Amino acid sequence: MQSSSIDVAATPATKPGLRLLLLPLVILAGMGLSVEAGLLGPLGVQVGHLWATLSIFGVGSAILFLLLLFSGPQQGPALNTLPRWQLIGGFLGPMYVVVLTLATPHIGIAMTMIAILSGQVGKSVLIDHFGWFGATRKKVNGERWLALLLIVAALVLIARG
């Protein structure tokens, strides 16, 4: 996969204070995913996995619509000017939630989340390293390999436990 033609210079510079604010916010969002898995597993068993996924996206879409409605004027999306590959996220999000809904009742929340985390970190290290999708390139160094290895070790330990 080649780097895209996106202007990486358009990526906003991160201020040190903003970075300190975003890290706990992202950790809280990750905690929300564990709660979502805990809710989706039983919901999928009760109403069906696809209906559970649709309900989650329906509620999310309604909330986003209200936020857009009350947040003032917004420039609408120019979907016809975007590279088509940027819309892949519209496919990946629901697939992620369907897998979450299917897996959680069978392997548990902890196993589901650490498996997802290992996949996320593994792929994100590659995306950073190669600068795919317009990401700023960050070479894989020993610390990043060690972090990935520790996450995989955590996956093995949770699977055995």
Side-chain angles (χ1 to χ4, degrees), residues 121-122 125-126 129-130 139-152:
V121 172
V125 163
L126 291 174
H129 181 74
F130 292 106
K139 293 286 185 190
V140 179
N141 58 21
E143 287 88 0
R144 287 178 177 238
W145 285 121
L146 179 61
L148 183 56
L149 180 65
L150 291 172
I151 290 169
V152 171

Side-chain angles (χ1 to χ4, degrees), residues 8-19:
V8 178
T11 304
T14 305
K15 298 174 186 169
L18 180 60
R19 188 174 178 154

Side-chain angles (χ1 to χ4, degrees), residues 49-60:
H49 303 294
L50 296 178
W51 281 110
T53 301
L54 182 63
S55 69
I56 292 296
F57 278 94
V59 170

Side-chain angles (χ1 to χ4, degrees), residues 5 9 13-14 19 24 30 38 46 48 73-74 83-85 98 100 109 120 122 134-135 142 153:
S5 61
T14 305
R19 188 174 178 154
Q46 291 174 344
Q74 302 277 324
R84 296 290 180 237
W85 63 265
V98 168
L100 192 74
I109 296 169
Q120 286 174 330

